[in-house]
Amino acid sequence: MKKYRIFGVISTVCIVLSVLYSFVGSSQIPTSRVLLSTNPPLERILPFEAEAEKPQSPVTLTLQAVDAAGKSLTNAKINLQILTPPRNPWLTTDFPIVEGTKLLQMNANAPDGKLEIQQMLPIRGNYQLLVKVSPLVANTFTAYEQTLNLNVHENPIKYKYFVVIAAILLSLGLLGGWVIGGQEELQQGEIAPQSVRLLLSALTVVAIVTLLVINISAEVAEAHGSEHHSTSTETIAPSSQKSQGLEINLGGDKNATVGKLANLALQVKDTATGQPITDVALQVKAIATEHNLTVFDYKGIPDEQGKLTWLEQFFDGSPHKIEVEATPLPGSSRQFTPVKVAQEVEVEAIAPPIYIRLIGLFYFTAFVGIGMAIGLLIQHRRKPQARTN
């Protein structure tokens, strides 16, 4: 009987050890994954700045699909979604409408397992890149998904501006608290001394002017895109071209809204047969025409149906231009001179919600209030000493 018990205990221990070993061993087995690299390096990436002194360039994002051995996958299809940082109403960014939205969504054929795009990142915070990799040829490898994180730091110059503004507001509050705290007697019929009344009146005017400036600037930003769109006289290429045996059609939304994705699509056909063409290279650019600034750039090939589709958000409320240039692939039997198509997209700007503006006004008022409290405290401690002397 004891032998059976000992044998049972030994068997149980062996089973437990084998399960633990298989669990630990399986967790260490390398799996297929996506490698992310950026240019410039991650620590040097800054969010979009419309009024930057030097022209900004979009960030180059390179996604490389590799197998468990670290070898690049071939004949892959990569689906990419870029999600902007989540909303934070108490510490809002320059584009609060963009927070917590999709910036880009696209499907791309990657013969060498690589997807490379250039994308302008509009705000600070942690971006999520949702990547799905699947085979173009069935059963060549197992499809998989991966979530990558990309943390963009705030521009350091913003912190300097914040410190200067905070110092000015604290100084104004300190001066006000000093004046109010220094008043000892009221004249007959006065509710408050004249200097205090003048100070409070000035603060009221400043608060009203600040609120007006915030609201007017928001309304101006909302109408920003339409003003520049109406004054644009630049000639662009047509959205459809038939040239050298190719028919290229660029379509999709011609009107977009900040915070929402716009649908864009490209079709390449043979003019003689009407069959889709896949052996061409397509250079796609989205350009903000106000600053002539490229916000998105991608070079790839169409799918098996001769199509290239993507969804893109135009975070800046100014008109954009979509440009596509088709060129022959190296070594392809189909040779032709580059063919260009283009399309304008009018973007509707959205003003920040009123509560975000009021939060900004609250912060300004809080700094003044803190300075005033400090000034009153100094005067309160100073008066007993003056009376004693």
Side-chain angles (χ1 to χ4, degrees):
M1 193 69 177
K2 290 183 179 180
K3 291 182 179 180
Y4 288 114
R5 289 181 180 177
I6 294 172
F7 179 76
V9 171
I10 293 174
S11 301
T12 304
V13 171
C14 291
I15 292 173
V16 171
L17 290 175
S18 63
V19 170
L20 291 174
Y21 176 79
S22 63
F23 176 76
V24 174
S26 63
S27 65
Q28 294 177 348
I29 295 176
T31 58
S32 300
R33 60 195 185 279
V34 177
L35 306 178
L36 172 64
S37 60
T38 64
N39 186 23
L42 182 59
E43 61 274 7
R44 292 175 52 193
I45 297 177
L46 296 177
F48 171 73
E49 184 68 42
E51 304 299 331
E53 296 181 0
K54 296 181 180 180
Q56 280 185 284
S57 299
V59 178
T60 300
L61 304 174
T62 304
L63 303 171
Q64 180 67 63
V66 298
D67 60 14
K71 184 180 178 181
S72 297
L73 294 173
T74 57
N75 295 323
K77 183 176 183 179
I78 300 178
N79 175 275
L80 171 65
Q81 298 182 50
I82 300 179
L83 308 183
T84 60
R87 300 179 186 275
N88 186 349
W90 298 104
L91 293 173
T92 185
T93 61
D94 292 344
F95 298 94
I97 302 300
V98 177
E99 298 171 7
T101 62
K102 275 186 184 178
L103 186 62
L104 180 71
Q105 180 175 336
M106 67 180 302
N107 287 312
N109 286 359
D112 56 354
K114 179 187 291 187
L115 171 61
E116 183 173 289
I117 65 170
Q118 294 184 27
Q119 174 67 54
M120 192 72 75
L121 302 176
I123 57 178
R124 69 172 186 272
N126 185 43
Y127 290 79
Q128 282 192 328
L129 281 66
L130 309 181
V131 187
K132 297 179 181 179
V133 182
S134 56
L136 288 174
V137 181
N139 301 322
T140 53
F141 63 87
T142 304
Y144 62 94
E145 302 179 8
Q146 186 174 345
T147 300
L148 303 170
N149 293 297
L150 184 66
N151 190 30
V152 176
H153 300 285
E154 184 60 278
N155 193 333
I157 195 69
K158 298 288 184 68
Y159 296 114
K160 295 180 181 179
Y161 291 155
F162 171 77
V163 171
V164 171
I165 293 175
I168 293 174
L169 294 176
L170 284 171
S171 299
L172 290 175
L174 182 63
L175 177 62
W178 181 275
V179 172
I180 294 175
Q183 301 297 324
E184 297 183 357
E185 297 181 359
L186 293 176
Q187 301 295 330
Q188 187 176 3
E190 287 184 336
I191 299 177
Q194 182 179 4
S195 58
V196 175
R197 296 200 306 271
L198 290 175
L199 178 63
L200 294 177
S201 299
L203 291 176
T204 303
V205 171
V206 169
I208 294 173
V209 170
T210 303
L211 187 59
L212 286 174
V213 167
I214 293 174
N215 283 275
I216 291 173
S217 61
E219 296 299 328
V220 169
E222 188 173 3
H224 195 53
S226 59
E227 291 179 1
H228 286 273
H229 180 72
S230 61
T231 57
S232 177
T233 58
E234 182 183 1
T235 302
I236 64 172
S239 59
S240 180
Q241 282 267 43
K242 290 184 178 181
S243 175
Q244 307 169 78
L246 278 75
E247 180 182 351
I248 304 178
N249 296 299
L250 176 60
D253 297 335
K254 295 184 178 179
N255 294 279
T257 304
V258 174
K260 297 180 180 180
L261 292 173
N263 291 278
L264 299 163
L266 186 73
Q267 174 75 64
V268 186
K269 295 181 180 180
D270 190 302
T271 54
T273 63
Q275 295 299 313
I277 295 177
T278 60
D279 58 343
V280 294
L282 301 174
Q283 179 85 34
V284 181
K285 289 185 178 182
I287 302 171
T289 55
E290 179 185 351
H291 304 286
N292 193 28
L293 188 66
T294 300
V295 296
F296 173 74
D297 193 338
Y298 166 70
K299 188 172 184 179
I301 58 175
D303 61 15
E304 58 277 2
Q305 298 178 352
K307 292 182 178 180
L308 177 64
T309 60
W310 72 102
L311 291 86
E312 183 177 354
Q313 180 185 166
F314 303 102
F315 57 85
D316 187 10
S318 63
H320 285 65
K321 177 176 63 174
I322 307 299
E323 284 186 351
V324 180
E325 183 180 32
T327 56
L329 288 173
S332 173
S333 59
R334 188 187 301 274
Q335 296 297 316
F336 54 91
T337 57
V339 181
K340 285 186 178 182
V341 291
Q343 176 176 295
E344 284 188 335
V345 179
E346 185 175 351
V347 183
E348 179 185 358
I350 304 295
I354 186 65
Y355 74 88
I356 291 181
R357 310 180 207 177
L358 293 177
I359 288 174
L361 181 61
F362 167 77
Y363 288 147
F364 293 152
T365 307
F367 281 117
V368 176
I370 292 172
M372 187 173 292
I374 294 173
L376 289 171
L377 182 62
I378 293 174
Q379 286 287 29
H380 178 72
R381 292 183 176 181
R382 179 173 169 270
K383 283 181 181 180
Q385 295 179 2
R387 291 172 183 170
T388 302
N389 294 335

